[in-house]
Amino acid sequence: MRLQNKIALITGGARGIGFAIANALSREGATIAVADINGEGANAAAEKLNAAGGKAFSFSVDVAEQPSVLKTLNAVVAQCGRLDILINNAGVGGNTPFLDTPLELWNRIVSINLTGAFLVAQACARQMVEQGHGGKIINIASLSGQRGGNGRAAYGSAKAGLELLTKVMAVELSEHGINVNNIAPGAIETDMAATAHDAATRAAYNYLIPMVRYGMPEEIADAAVFLCSDEARYVQGHTLNVDGGFRTAGLMFGARKAPMVSA
Ligand SMILES: NC(=O)c1ccc[n+]([C@@H]2O[C@H](COP(=O)([O-])OP(=O)(O)OC[C@H]3O[C@@H](n4cnc5c(N)ncnc54)[C@H](O)[C@@H]3O)[C@@H](O)[C@H]2O)c1
């Protein structure tokens, strides 16, 4: 129960990585505010957490719209009393080649994955500063923001921006006792991956991942619990990759990789 008496807001918490993090934080004793553009999904997620013995509430939000973000944060604070933890997770995937990316698609992906994350983080950080007891902010970035992958012009650029935003937030919010860190997932088995990754994409990922498998949402959630806990109090402005070694890997030979060729 490392997060007992903590209040945690999780955007995009209706499913996937967000729900897995909500579940893990709830198991550690936190009260959970699930906020999602899918209001029914958020309700169902909160019901599941409550059925498992947790304490959870649901909220509708569109993170790309500032009035919606502010209204939701007010509702969360009115319901839960304060805010200690933000999991800034809501996002949409993108897999369109650079030459074919229309401005509308670019704007949509950036407005949710980068501007939306900024709006939520700013509103929550202001709340934490006002409360005066510090806090934890975890931004969910992506391996796609660190490598130039096919089809990731808009998505990767937005996630790279989020990683830099995290560093600035960490620097500026240190004096308020707020820890700001990133988790950068690699390829994770969620509905987003099911939509965005075809068979060729999956094979390409598995070739590049030393552990030769996709990660599970629960593996991201375990990292989030650590970053939200007091054990991570001196971790600041860091990006924790949870990616099966993808970011680290260079040349790889072996049975499950490129075959060794004798001279
Ligand atoms: N799945 C992966 O392989 C992977 C890899 C790296 C990073 N990520 C990141 O992890 C996060 C979660 O991804 P996931 O795979 O669980 O995705 P998902 O599509 O399964 O879930 C995303 C959730 O965000 C919500 N959402 C979308 N737009 C929103 C908006 N405007 N306002 C509020 N909520 C909104 C959706 O309704 C959904 O519940 C995203 O930020 C994603 O970019 C995922």
Side-chain angles (χ1 to χ4, degrees):
M1 299 294 269
R2 279 185 286 176
L3 304 176
Q4 205 155 26
N5 301 323
K6 300 291 184 193
I7 311 290
L9 167 62
I10 297 151
T11 66
R15 68 179 199 182
I17 290 171
F19 180 69
I21 295 176
N23 206 16
L25 268 52
S26 179
R27 274 201 317 268
E28 293 290 338
T31 296
I32 307 294
V34 179
D36 204 289
I37 200 164
N38 174 0
E40 281 181 19
N43 287 343
E47 274 169 25
K48 274 189 222 163
L49 298 176
N50 287 327
K55 188 172 174 198
F57 303 95
S58 59
F59 302 87
S60 271
V61 69
D62 180 350
V63 298
E65 298 293 335
Q66 192 170 35
S68 172
V69 169
L70 298 178
K71 190 173 154 220
T72 300
L73 181 63
N74 283 340
V76 170
V77 174
Q79 179 74 59
C80 304
R82 57 170 208 284
L83 182 71
D84 304 303
I85 294 169
L86 164 65
I87 307 292
N88 210 359
N89 164 81
V92 289
N95 195 10
T96 306
F98 167 69
L99 290 177
D100 302 331
T101 300
L103 178 60
E104 296 71 26
L105 180 63
W106 171 278
N107 283 342
R108 177 169 179 272
I109 290 176
V110 172
S111 75
I112 297 170
N113 293 333
L114 179 57
T115 310
F118 158 73
L119 291 172
V120 174
Q122 187 188 57
C124 291
R126 284 175 172 165
Q127 174 66 29
M128 290 172 184
V129 169
E130 192 185 313
Q131 291 169 184
H133 304 296
K136 307 276 189 189
I137 297 178
I138 317 293
N139 293 323
I140 306 298
S142 176
L143 193 275
S144 294
Q146 303 166 339
R147 296 288 185 90
N150 259 30
R152 302 293 195 269
Y155 180 76
S157 301
K159 292 296 190 180
L162 181 57
E163 208 171 306
L164 197 280
L165 176 64
T166 301
K167 292 177 184 169
V168 175
M169 288 171 60
V171 167
E172 294 192 7
L173 297 175
S174 283
E175 66 175 290
H176 299 289
I178 301 172
N179 292 88
V180 190
N181 291 290
N182 273 317
I183 293 176
I188 307 299
E189 293 287 8
T190 65
D191 292 331
M192 178 187 281
T195 317
H197 297 190
D198 58 14
T201 308
R202 283 184 166 268
Y205 266 118
N206 281 329
Y207 181 76
L208 290 167
I209 299 169
M211 292 180 72
V212 203
R213 67 169 176 86
Y214 278 40
M216 299 307 291
E218 293 73 22
E219 292 174 310
I220 305 298
D222 288 339
V225 168
F226 165 66
L227 288 175
C228 290
S229 73
D230 193 50
E231 282 91 332
R233 62 194 169 277
Y234 201 56
V235 182
Q236 183 68 312
H238 183 69
T239 294
L240 176 53
N241 273 56
V242 184
D243 63 4
F246 189 171
R247 188 185 196 183
T248 293
L251 263 185
M252 287 186 284
F253 296 104
R256 297 190 293 177
K257 299 296 177 190
M260 301 283 277
V261 180
S262 44

